[in-house]
Amino acid sequence: MAVTLRLPADIARAAGVEELLLEAHSADELARRAAEAHPEIRRYLFDSSGRPRPSMAFYTENRILDPYEQLADGSVVEITFAISGG
């Protein structure tokens, strides 16, 4: 199913695009396909062991997604990252 992935600014600059249209059934698969299509963004999405970065979250329709939740055809998914500081 076709899903649109909206990228945060840093990742969009690295990929050279703000959105990707990819075939994926879950947010986890969507991130992996994005990294396959644009290897230069892999380091933003996954750690050196290939696990999704723990600070990364997926949103659709103003709600957080479980990474393995089934996506509907035509979904628009946004990636965000937690911000820390103090």
Side-chain angles (χ1 to χ4, degrees):
M1 58 192 58
V3 178
T4 299
L5 178 62
R6 291 189 179 152
L7 302 172
D10 290 347
I11 299 174
R13 273 192 296 280
V17 296
E18 294 180 0
E19 294 184 348
L20 298 170
L21 182 62
L22 301 163
E23 294 289 324
H25 293 94
S26 68
D28 180 72
E29 182 182 6
L30 186 62
R32 293 186 187 286
R33 292 195 186 257
E36 289 170 6
H38 292 272
E40 64 276 11
I41 68 173
R42 180 176 302 281
R43 67 185 177 99
Y44 293 97
L45 305 177
F46 301 97
D47 65 20
S48 60
S49 301
R51 290 185 299 253
R53 295 216 174 261
S55 61
M56 182 172 59
F58 302 96
Y59 286 86
T60 190
E61 299 174 11
N62 295 318
R63 66 179 183 83
I64 195 164
L65 282 170
D66 178 285
Y68 305 102
E69 180 180 335
Q70 183 79 22
L71 297 172
D73 190 40
S75 291
V76 177
V77 176
E78 296 184 47
I79 294 177
T80 62
F81 289 89
I83 299 173
S84 63

